Amino acid sequence: MKASQEPINNFSDDTSSENQDRFGIQVPSPLDVHEDCAFEGAMSILVPITDAAHLIHGPSGCISNSWVINNYPSSNSTLHKVRFTTDMEESDIIFGGAKKLDKAILELVRRYKPAAVFVYSTCVSALIGDDINGVCKNASEQIGIPIIPVDSPGFVGRKNLGIRVAGEALLEHVIGTAEPELTTPLDINLIAEPNSAIWINILPLLEQLGIRVLAKITGDAQYQEICYAHRAKLNVIIDSKPLLKMVKKMEDLFDIPYIEESLDSVEDINQCLRDIVAQLGDSELQTATENLIVQEISALDIKLAAYRIRLQGKKVLIYTGGRRSWLLISTAKTLGMDVIPISSKKSSKEDRARVKKLLDKNSIILQQDNISEVVEIINHHQAQMLIASTHLQSAAHLTNIPFLDINQQSHHSYVSYAGIFTVAQELYATLYSPIWEQVRKAAPWE
């Protein structure tokens, strides 16, 4: 077979270095450049500011099907779920779209009364040279609410660059523009890319310790809390290299130290809590943290016991790489499942090292990254479940094994102790769903 341990061992680490930019951030091969862009990256960070309006200055096609694709959770406003566009047409490209943008901002604010408006440039508006900075400044002075330009045309780079652009826009136009009513010695900012919905499960733990999250950058965030972020005592950045530049600038500008943390396993979560408390320098809090960790682990073990009995020894094929896969791998291992990791050639050296650390084995590197190759691996290893992105879903259908979409984390938080239990529930529900028995039966006419 094409994909085996042999090519893994022969696979040179030199290839991975080609997949990283000078900041150590993974970039795809030239064949994958169509997959995302800077505009998408900027929106992914800023759209979870839920009470702001997000206006795209470009053709309506740039708006995409946002309601379904980016299902960011919100505990308050749902304005962020609606995207707005200036709907640029051919005449706007010839005569300029600045007046149309100004009119769109005024109408949007009149009808929806947002806390702020983020205006995104696109390839089209940037190429014709529309001055979105000038339009936003004039509109803000006229209306009296923040109108923030985000210079993120897709052609400037990929998604990771767009995330950095979004961070710079927050630093330049939002952070430090308002003061909180009060501050405490235990105020922190949580900084992460929003797809993981980490806030749902991690905030209750911090609240139990008396630690206040001053700003969530970003995810279920209110505009005003981002303005207060400069008063935090600590920045905690979770699995987000593209936002490191913003955090380092906050250290220079506002003297806020930062720590980098991961929440991919129980050990990571424990260490994250310990590191936060250690940085805040409250000795009494350290005892409370250790007690909380013991309490949470004990409760989690009890809840996982029933699932461990049914899942132990089951063979599961997991497509590795990306933030969403690590907690799945860690939890499957905790439940005693036999994890067979697979990855593509474009996986970074860091990703492959992470697999090795988690499972003490190398991943099977797909040579072509196609359905037939995955089917071959499933049959060879007699895997009982496939966890991957939807582009490999057909491999599960062809082999009649259960399939779990790795992007489910966008809808269910897999983070923290509660998230690990959610993963166990998802694994069990997928593997033992009665639908698979029906799928494996021959059709009545056969």
Side-chain angles (χ1 to χ4, degrees):
M1 61 190 296
K2 293 177 183 176
S4 66
Q5 286 298 122
E6 185 176 354
I8 296 167
N9 298 332
N10 295 335
F11 195 77
S12 170
D13 282 346
D14 294 340
T15 309
S16 65
S17 62
E18 295 173 1
N19 293 340
Q20 295 179 348
D21 63 14
R22 61 195 175 93
F23 300 103
I25 296 172
Q26 185 180 347
V27 296
S29 71
L31 294 175
D32 301 315
V33 292
H34 63 284
E35 287 184 353
D36 55 45
C37 66
F39 166 69
E40 182 185 347
M43 289 210 71
S44 71
I45 289 298
L46 299 175
V47 164
I49 301 174
T50 58
D51 58 348
H54 301 272
L55 175 61
I56 299 164
H57 186 36
S60 57
C62 292
I63 205 167
S64 187
N65 185 7
S66 57
W67 190 277
V68 174
I69 294 173
N70 296 317
N71 186 26
Y72 300 121
S74 170
S75 57
N76 197 330
S77 172
T78 57
L79 181 60
H80 68 300
K81 288 180 177 289
V82 183
R83 308 288 169 80
F84 304 91
T85 175
T86 53
D87 189 20
M88 292 184 74
E89 298 173 336
E90 189 175 359
S91 59
D92 302 315
I93 296 171
I94 297 170
F95 300 108
K99 288 184 179 177
K100 195 170 190 177
L101 174 60
D102 184 60
K103 185 179 177 182
I105 293 172
L106 297 178
E107 179 63 12
L108 191 160
V109 173
R110 184 187 71 80
R111 293 183 64 179
Y112 293 92
K113 297 179 174 50
V117 180
F118 288 90
V119 177
Y120 303 83
S121 68
T122 60
C123 294
V124 175
S125 58
L127 281 171
I128 65 173
D130 272 356
D131 179 18
I132 69 164
N133 287 277
V135 173
C136 290
K137 183 179 179 183
N138 292 336
S140 182
E141 291 173 354
Q142 184 180 350
I143 304 170
I145 70 168
I147 312 293
I148 298 135
V150 185
D151 195 15
S152 58
F155 59 72
V156 300
R158 300 223 48 209
K159 184 176 180 179
N160 284 343
L161 181 60
I163 293 172
R164 292 207 290 269
V165 167
E168 288 170 6
L170 291 177
L171 268 178
E172 185 175 353
H173 300 284
V174 185
I175 295 173
T177 57
E179 295 295 334
E181 290 184 1
L182 60 93
T183 59
T184 76
L186 302 180
D187 287 348
I188 67 169
N189 295 324
L190 278 183
I191 299 168
E193 293 170 47
N195 286 339
S196 59
I198 68 167
W199 330 105
I200 295 173
N201 292 334
I202 201 74
L203 287 179
L205 294 174
L206 296 172
E207 286 174 2
Q208 285 188 57
L209 295 173
I211 297 171
R212 187 173 73 151
V213 176
L214 196 58
K216 304 182 291 293
I217 305 177
T218 60
D220 191 14
Q222 303 285 301
Y223 177 80
Q224 200 69 16
E225 69 181 81
I226 310 291
C227 300
Y228 301 153
H230 64 298
R231 292 302 180 197
K233 304 300 184 294
L234 177 68
N235 276 334
V236 181
I237 182 165
I238 299 171
D239 288 333
S240 181
K241 283 187 177 179
L243 286 171
L244 260 179
K245 190 174 180 181
M246 183 190 78
V247 172
K248 289 178 179 177
K249 280 191 176 180
M250 288 181 74
E251 187 174 37
D252 294 336
L253 292 171
F254 307 117
D255 197 24
I256 303 175
Y258 73 91
I259 54 174
E260 288 184 73
E261 298 295 334
S262 173
L263 300 174
D264 292 335
S265 66
V266 173
E267 293 75 19
D268 288 343
I269 299 163
N270 297 344
Q271 193 59 45
C272 176
L273 293 175
R274 287 172 177 140
D275 290 344
I276 291 173
V277 171
Q279 286 289 326
L280 292 174
D282 189 323
S283 56
E284 292 183 3
L285 211 52
Q286 290 179 356
T287 305
T289 303
E290 294 301 328
N291 291 337
L292 178 67
I293 289 171
V294 170
Q295 176 187 329
E296 291 290 334
I297 290 177
S298 174
L300 181 63
D301 279 343
I302 294 171
K303 289 196 283 188
L304 290 182
Y307 292 95
R308 190 175 284 115
I309 293 170
R310 300 299 303 276
L311 294 173
Q312 196 164 24
K314 300 294 183 184
K315 283 189 177 180
V316 55
L317 202 69
I318 299 182
Y319 191 91
T320 67
R323 191 179 54 250
R324 296 183 180 96
S325 61
W326 305 122
L327 196 59
L328 283 163
I329 293 174
S330 172
T331 305
K333 182 187 171 189
T334 301
L335 292 167
M337 301 179 81
D338 182 5
V339 178
I340 305 159
I342 57 173
S343 60
S344 68
K345 277 186 172 181
K346 67 181 180 182
S347 293
S348 67
K349 182 179 178 181
E350 182 184 2
D351 282 348
R352 278 187 267 123
R354 215 164 180 177
V355 171
K356 179 74 175 175
K357 182 180 177 184
L358 278 171
L359 297 172
D360 195 24
K361 64 169 84 168
N362 291 312
S363 60
I364 299 173
I365 297 173
L366 302 176
Q367 301 300 307
Q368 304 297 325
D369 198 7
N370 58 28
I371 302 296
S372 60
E373 198 173 7
V374 177
V375 168
E376 198 174 355
I377 296 170
I378 290 172
N379 291 331
H380 179 77
H381 290 272
Q382 296 184 319
Q384 294 165 290
M385 181 164 65
L386 173 64
I387 303 176
S389 300
T390 50
H391 78 286
L392 293 178
Q393 188 171 6
S394 297
H397 292 167
L398 289 170
T399 50
N400 286 333
I401 64 170
F403 173 79
L404 178 62
D405 182 2
I406 209 165
N407 293 315
Q408 283 297 314
Q409 193 177 0
S410 298
H411 305 283
H412 309 286
S413 178
Y414 287 170
V415 175
S416 188
Y417 308 106
I420 290 171
F421 180 60
T422 302
V423 174
Q425 289 178 309
E426 293 268 339
L427 291 171
Y428 175 82
T430 303
L431 191 61
Y432 286 99
S433 170
I435 190 64
W436 304 118
E437 187 179 345
Q438 298 297 320
V439 167
R440 289 165 188 149
K441 285 182 179 177
W445 57 87
E446 290 179 346

